[in-house]
Amino acid sequence: MAQRFVSIGECMIEMAGGEDRQYRLGYAGDTLNTAWYMRALLDPAWEVDYFTALGEDRYSGDIRKFLDSNGIGTQFIGTVKGRRPGLYMIHQEHGDRHFTYWRDQSAAKLMAEDKDALNVALEGASMVYFSGITMAILHPRARGRLLGAIVKARDAGAKIVFDPNLRPALWSSQRVMASMLTAAASVCDIVLPTHSDEAPVFGDASVEETADRYLELGVEEVVVKDGANPALIATAGERVTVAPPAGAVVVDPTGAGDSFNGAYLSARLAGKSLQDAAAAAHRVAGIVIGQRGALVEPGLVR
């Protein structure tokens, strides 16, 4: 049986650029970005599937074609009548990114309505990946349904991976966000938090405190990202700190963390050590921030 990576989340229409009001249309989203880099870096024998929901409109069809043409499986993508993909625009100003979103009618919000479809999509998966954004856009009951399917996949042998990817604007309150993300992390084998996102919510004074908090939940492997600072990779018996290479030029940091995740996970699946996997992840993220948009050509990161 083929080994299979399944990523769960929302694919959106991305309008990137903004110089002189000129934008480039693409498709992206945190969990799709990671799937993209997994496909670029994993052994070709691996299957990479994306689980989400789309509509019946032109852009939903284009997204399916885009994924298919780039080796990302679409057979588990649901169709929701009357809905369409969400959209976001990236505007660069004073060296920083500013995002504007339109996602109220996003089909992906209903991706976890069908329990049977969820279970079928995750059946036989070797690794399942999801994020805090995946959780945030779902109805509260659907969050429980998703976690139930993920636990079932873990019981069947899948490795479960989670990026908390905190986005307070998507949640009804910070308390709900913190409790739901903690519940999600507690069923995972690998968690990839970003310290600067976590510290204001959980009170972590250091990357070590962020790692310890997840290890105490029973997570086996915690990879704490910290922007341009070194990443901390921690397990019950080992801790390593890996700095990014010097000299990276930041053109657009969109997708940097997602590409880091994909490079790290693909390296670990290839048998690389914590140290070597983190070094590979920094290398790929350094390439991605030098390009515009969340997805760069696979040949640039291999």
Side-chain angles (χ1 to χ4, degrees), residues 106-130:
S106 170
K109 289 186 171 186
L110 302 177
M111 74 175 102
E113 294 301 301
D114 188 333
K115 181 179 178 180
D116 292 338
L118 264 174
N119 289 329
V120 169
L122 302 188
E123 185 177 0
S126 307
M127 179 174 280
V128 176
Y129 178 85
F130 69 118

Side-chain angles (χ1 to χ4, degrees), residues 37 79 96 105 145 174 196 267 269 280 288 299:
Y37 293 104
T79 301
D96 198 5
Q105 293 300 307
R145 197 176 298 122
Q174 182 168 294
S196 59
L269 289 172
V288 171

Side-chain angles (χ1 to χ4, degrees), residues 18-298:
E19 295 82 4
D20 299 322
R21 297 185 179 273
Q22 300 296 309
Y23 289 84
R24 184 181 72 251
L25 186 150
Y27 302 114
D30 66 331
T31 55
L32 173 62
N33 302 343
T34 296
W36 176 270
Y37 293 104
M38 291 294 278
R39 179 65 288 162
L41 297 165
L42 275 175
D43 186 289
W46 274 80
E47 295 178 2
V48 174
D49 289 326
Y50 196 59
F51 181 84
T52 190
L54 295 168
E56 298 177 308
D57 59 292
R58 169 183 176 175
Y59 294 103
S60 291
D62 284 351
I63 288 172
R64 291 176 189 270
K65 292 175 184 176
F66 172 75
L67 298 179
D68 281 332
S69 65
N70 285 283
I72 298 174
T74 60
Q75 64 265 43
F76 301 111
I77 294 180
T79 301
V80 182
K81 293 182 178 180
R83 295 289 185 115
R84 55 179 59 89
L87 177 147
Y88 70 95
M89 299 181 75
I90 308 172
H91 176 68
Q92 302 283 342
E93 186 175 359
H94 305 306
D96 198 5
R97 300 168 298 163
H98 299 270
F99 292 85
T100 304
Y101 290 90
W102 292 264
R103 67 184 347 151
D104 289 348
Q105 293 300 307
S106 170
K109 289 186 171 186
L110 302 177
M111 74 175 102
E113 294 301 301
D114 188 333
K115 181 179 178 180
D116 292 338
L118 264 174
N119 289 329
V120 169
L122 302 188
E123 185 177 0
S126 307
M127 179 174 280
V128 176
Y129 178 85
F130 69 118
S131 77
I133 294 177
T134 308
M135 297 291 289
I137 66 173
L138 299 177
H139 186 277
R141 286 192 298 272
R143 293 170 190 157
R145 197 176 298 122
L146 175 61
L147 289 182
I150 285 172
V151 169
K152 184 176 180 180
R154 185 183 187 187
D155 290 344
K159 189 79 78 172
I160 308 301
V161 186
F162 181 57
D163 182 343
N165 215 347
L166 281 75
R167 295 293 184 271
L170 295 177
W171 294 90
S172 59
S173 72
Q174 182 168 294
R175 179 187 60 81
V176 170
M177 177 178 69
S179 63
M180 286 303 308
L181 298 184
T182 298
S186 70
V187 304
C188 295
D189 300 290
I190 303 174
V191 175
L192 302 113
T194 298
H195 174 67
S196 59
D197 291 346
E198 306 260 331
V201 176
F202 295 102
D204 303 333
S206 64
V207 291
E208 289 78 9
E209 286 192 12
T210 299
D212 287 340
R213 179 165 47 82
Y214 285 109
L215 290 173
E216 288 169 4
L217 293 175
V219 177
E220 294 178 0
E221 190 171 322
V222 183
V223 184
V224 186
K225 296 164 287 183
D226 195 21
N229 298 315
L232 171 66
I233 305 88
T235 68
E238 184 179 4
R239 290 191 179 221
V240 297
T241 301
V242 182
V249 177
V250 181
V251 174
D252 179 2
T254 307
D258 306 325
S259 67
F260 181 103
N261 294 353
Y264 180 85
L265 294 171
S266 61
R268 291 291 283 150
L269 289 172
K272 301 293 185 182
S273 67
L274 302 180
Q275 178 94 24
D276 289 345
H282 278 311
R283 180 189 69 82
V284 169
I287 294 169
V288 171
I289 64 175
Q291 308 289 321
R292 295 202 181 278
L295 307 181
V296 308
E297 289 297 322

